[in-house]
Amino acid sequence: MSDTNQQPKIDYASIMLQFNNDPDFIKLRDRYATKSFLEIMSTDRSETLHSSFLAWLLEGKDFPVKEQDHPIIHLLDILIRRESEQSSTEQFPQKLVPDNIKDMVLSRNIKSIQIHEVSTEKSINEVSNISSKDRLDIYIRCTIESKNGQSNEIEFIIENKVGSKENGPKKENKGFASKYPCYVNKTQTERYYYALNNNNAQNKNSQKIFIYLTPISNADLSDFDNLGEDQKSKDGHFININYQDILDNIIEPLLLSEDISTRIHTLLNEYVL
């Protein structure tokens, strides 16, 4: 008696052969099998190099895009989304993106963006009243004006971690330690927030947004409550984002743009590799 419910046999070998010989798959395989320029130069894990690239990317001066599509606006998109995932946790209870900026970005009520400064390795004592030798990986100061004339000055403080963990309390000489006892006993992100909150910052008029950037996976970052202590910032005023956020929300849209030059397209493509 024949089994009418018997399923036809699947020819897995033929399926795999067809897949491996698909022209689109071959192009994709060859693309990622080729070493990028960063890998060839053995600098693909260099925090300094990544910070320099990100500073150039976020400044946006080489991209002929509308204000609504400026890299800074897409960075704020990332921060708003990640804040919503993290601000309800016990460690990160407060709102980290000011409501007026959030409303302006989400409604795309943007008239202009003026970039005042983009720096890497920025000394704390250049932006804070605390004379520390600590350095900010990426520092950005800009003004975003809404279509109804509201002007918002923002300072972005980005701590970039590629292959390292957050530093603990810093050793300083006795004179510095006695002058700033609350500073020296803090971890890296805690020191940066302490130095740049409005009590200690030189610029009292700007709104500060603190960012902790790592290569952590999307799955892990979205499960923020269960992250290990070494996988996220020690200070709760930092919004934690990852490199995948930068790729998906800033770099990939630029790669799809027909307005950027071949040279810029090549630079972005090499970085993605």
Side-chain angles (χ1 to χ4, degrees), residues 117 122-130 136 139 141 155 157 195-197 200-203 208:
E117 180 182 353
K122 179 85 169 175
S123 294
I124 286 282
N125 58 23
E126 294 181 51
V127 288
S128 172
N129 294 322
I130 294 177
L136 306 173
Y139 169 84
R141 185 171 65 87
E155 289 178 278
I157 295 90
L196 282 158
N197 67 35
N200 295 311
Q202 292 180 12
N203 187 346
K208 317 291 193 298

Side-chain angles (χ1 to χ4, degrees), residues 40-249:
I40 292 171
M41 300 299 292
S42 299
T43 55
D44 53 309
R45 302 293 291 179
S46 166
E47 285 183 5
T48 302
L49 187 145
H50 283 286
S51 292
S52 295
F53 175 86
L54 292 170
W56 167 77
L57 177 72
L58 294 171
E59 188 173 15
K61 65 180 182 180
D62 288 321
F63 312 125
V65 295
K66 296 179 180 179
E67 285 80 4
Q68 290 85 350
D69 294 320
H70 192 284
I72 286 293
I73 300 302
H74 288 303
L75 175 64
L76 284 164
D77 284 335
I78 296 168
L79 297 171
I80 291 168
R81 177 170 59 85
R82 289 301 184 188
E83 180 207 45
S84 69
E85 298 172 353
Q86 298 165 23
S87 61
S88 60
T89 66
E90 183 177 348
Q91 184 185 356
F92 297 79
Q94 64 273 10
K95 290 184 177 179
L96 305 173
V97 179
D99 284 338
N100 61 322
I101 294 175
K102 189 180 298 184
D103 293 343
M104 182 175 58
V105 170
L106 292 177
S107 65
R108 287 302 194 261
N109 179 23
I110 301 161
K111 179 181 179 181
S112 65
I113 300 175
Q114 184 177 1
I115 305 294
H116 304 297
E117 180 182 353
V118 178
S119 300
T120 59
E121 298 296 311
K122 179 85 169 175
S123 294
I124 286 282
N125 58 23
E126 294 181 51
V127 288
S128 172
N129 294 322
I130 294 177
S131 56
S132 169
K133 294 180 180 178
D134 273 333
R135 293 181 179 275
L136 306 173
D137 287 335
I138 305 171
Y139 169 84
I140 300 171
R141 185 171 65 87
C142 67
T143 297
I144 304 176
E145 184 180 358
S146 67
K147 293 176 182 177
N148 56 7
Q150 182 185 18
S151 185
N152 299 278
E153 185 179 356
I154 309 172
E155 289 178 278
F156 294 92
I157 295 90
I158 304 176
E159 178 57 26
N160 181 25
K161 295 294 183 189
V162 176
S164 60
K165 299 176 182 179
E166 180 175 345
N167 297 328
K170 189 174 184 180
K171 292 182 179 180
E172 295 279 3
N173 61 56
K174 291 182 179 180
F176 183 93
S178 62
K179 188 175 182 180
Y180 306 109
C182 294
Y183 186 85
V184 295
N185 294 323
K186 297 181 180 297
T187 64
Q188 192 173 18
T189 54
E190 290 171 338
R191 292 197 304 272
Y192 294 172
Y193 177 75
Y194 181 81
L196 282 158
N197 67 35
N198 279 338
N199 292 325
N200 295 311
Q202 292 180 12
N203 187 346
K204 307 291 186 185
N205 299 317
S206 69
Q207 300 184 76
K208 317 291 193 298
I209 299 179
F210 298 83
I211 304 167
Y212 193 72
L213 172 63
T214 70
I216 191 172
S217 70
N218 274 340
D220 286 340
L221 188 55
S222 296
D223 190 18
F224 195 75
D225 284 335
N226 294 316
L227 280 182
E229 289 302 312
D230 290 336
Q231 295 179 288
K232 56 189 175 185
S233 63
K234 304 294 185 185
D235 187 90
H237 299 90
F238 280 71
I239 301 174
N240 290 243
I241 69 173
N242 64 11
Y243 272 87
Q244 193 66 47
D245 289 331
I246 301 294
L247 173 63
D248 293 344
N249 295 276

